[in-house]
């Protein structure tokens, strides 16, 4: 080979280059070589290795490192996605709970508005009956009718307290009572255990609510 070919490692060694050299050998294959001139001669000793063979372990390690880095990035991405999904689910659950609570409040408010409107309508009709009723019996019957038809009650009745007999007698009623008024006798007992709701309301002068009608 010509000494003018500077790609040959041997040529560069003969010219005094003693550092590791990358070039091409006589086969034209990329190699990495190092050499030293032999003193007092025109010869040089050159050791070389194909670049493909020398860099193969490094390339393998780089591929392994790149694969591990890709797996690590993928794992981090999946972890971030999972955390974000859980966070979004928590926010969604919180928003749904708040919306459900607001819906319940709106429904309760709507029911209360309807109830108050019914009571207001009943009060208006009661006032009208007070003005136009001819007798007390007509007034009481009209009040019971208004409470059922406009107030939303299932049944309304007015009872009269007979203090001597300690008994309450219905004098006006309207609505579906299921035979309740015709079958029951209402007494005003002295003790709370003996009193019915009507007796409790009269004796204690307060509203009495009974859920076991």
């Amino acid at each position: 080979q010509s000494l003018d070919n500077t790609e040959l490692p041997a040529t560069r060694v003969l010219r005094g280059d003693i550092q590791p050299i990358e070039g091409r050998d006589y086969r034209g294959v990329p190699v990495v070589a190092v050499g030293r001139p032999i003193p007092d001669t025109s010869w040089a000793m050159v050791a070389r290795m194909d670049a493909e063979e020398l860099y193969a372990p490094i390339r393998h390690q780089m591929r392994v490192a790149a694969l591990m880095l890709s797996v690590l990035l993928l794992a981090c991405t999946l972890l971030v996605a999972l955390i974000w999904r859980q966070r979004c689910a928590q926010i969604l659950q919180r928003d749904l709970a708040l919306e459900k609570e607001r819906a319940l409040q709106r429904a309760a408010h709507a029911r209360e508005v309807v109830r108050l409107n019914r009571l207001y309508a009943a009060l208006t009709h009661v006032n009208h009956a007070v003005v136009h009723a001819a007798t007390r019996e007509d007034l009481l019957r009209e009040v019971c009718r208004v409470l059922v038809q406009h107030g939303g009650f299932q049944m309304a009745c007015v009872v009269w307290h007979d203090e001597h007999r300690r008994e309450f007698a219905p004098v006006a009623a309207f609505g579906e009572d299921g035979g309740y008024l015709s079958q029951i006798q209402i007494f005003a007992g002295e003790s709370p255990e003996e009193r019915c709701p009507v007796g409790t309301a009269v004796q204690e002068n307060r509203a009495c609510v009974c859920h076991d009608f």
Side-chain angles (χ1 to χ4, degrees):
Q1 296 286 344
S2 173
L3 293 178
D4 295 331
N5 188 356
T6 56
E7 287 189 355
L8 291 173
T11 301
R12 295 171 63 179
V13 170
L14 290 173
R15 290 185 176 185
D17 191 351
I18 60 175
Q19 300 297 325
I21 302 167
E22 290 187 8
R24 293 181 180 272
D25 62 2
Y26 64 92
R27 301 169 299 167
V29 178
V31 296
V32 177
V34 64
R36 294 290 187 276
I38 299 176
D40 301 327
T41 67
S42 59
W43 294 79
M45 180 175 292
V46 179
R48 61 176 178 78
M49 179 180 289
D50 290 351
E52 182 67 25
E53 181 182 358
L54 178 64
Y55 292 136
I58 299 177
R59 293 193 181 97
H60 177 70
Q61 292 179 0
M62 290 180 64
R63 285 193 294 268
V64 172
L67 179 61
M68 294 179 62
L69 181 60
S70 300
V71 172
L72 181 60
L73 290 176
L74 178 60
C76 291
T77 303
L78 293 177
L79 180 61
V80 171
L82 178 61
I83 294 175
W84 176 254
R85 182 177 180 181
Q86 291 178 345
R87 178 61 177 168
C88 291
Q90 292 174 353
I91 295 175
L92 180 59
Q93 290 178 352
R94 183 190 63 189
D95 292 343
L96 289 176
L98 291 175
E99 183 59 30
K100 182 178 180 181
E101 182 178 356
R102 286 194 290 265
L104 293 175
Q105 291 176 352
R106 289 194 297 267
H109 178 71
R111 289 193 299 269
E112 182 65 14
V113 170
V114 171
R115 187 183 72 87
L116 292 177
N117 287 337
R118 288 201 309 263
L119 294 179
Y120 178 76
L123 179 60
T124 301
H125 286 80
V126 167
N127 291 335
H128 185 271
V130 169
V131 174
H132 294 86
T135 64
R136 184 182 68 178
E137 290 74 14
D138 292 340
L139 173 61
L140 297 181
R141 284 194 297 269
E142 183 64 14
V143 168
C144 291
R145 185 192 67 80
V146 166
L147 290 177
V148 173
Q149 293 185 348
H150 298 281
F153 297 96
Q154 180 178 348
M155 186 270 292
C157 71
V158 177
V159 297
W160 189 262
H161 183 205
D162 189 339
E163 296 182 357
H164 298 289
R165 300 175 59 184
R166 294 171 58 203
E167 185 178 358
F168 296 95
V171 295
F174 193 90
E176 180 59 43
D177 64 358
Y180 173 77
L181 295 178
S182 62
Q183 298 175 4
I184 193 169
Q185 287 182 309
I186 307 174
F187 297 99
E190 294 295 335
S191 65
E193 292 79 7
E194 297 176 352
R195 297 175 191 166
C196 67
V198 175
T200 300
V202 173
Q203 293 292 341
E204 300 183 9
N205 192 27
R206 65 177 178 85
C208 182
V209 179
C210 178
H211 296 288
D212 190 16
F213 184 74

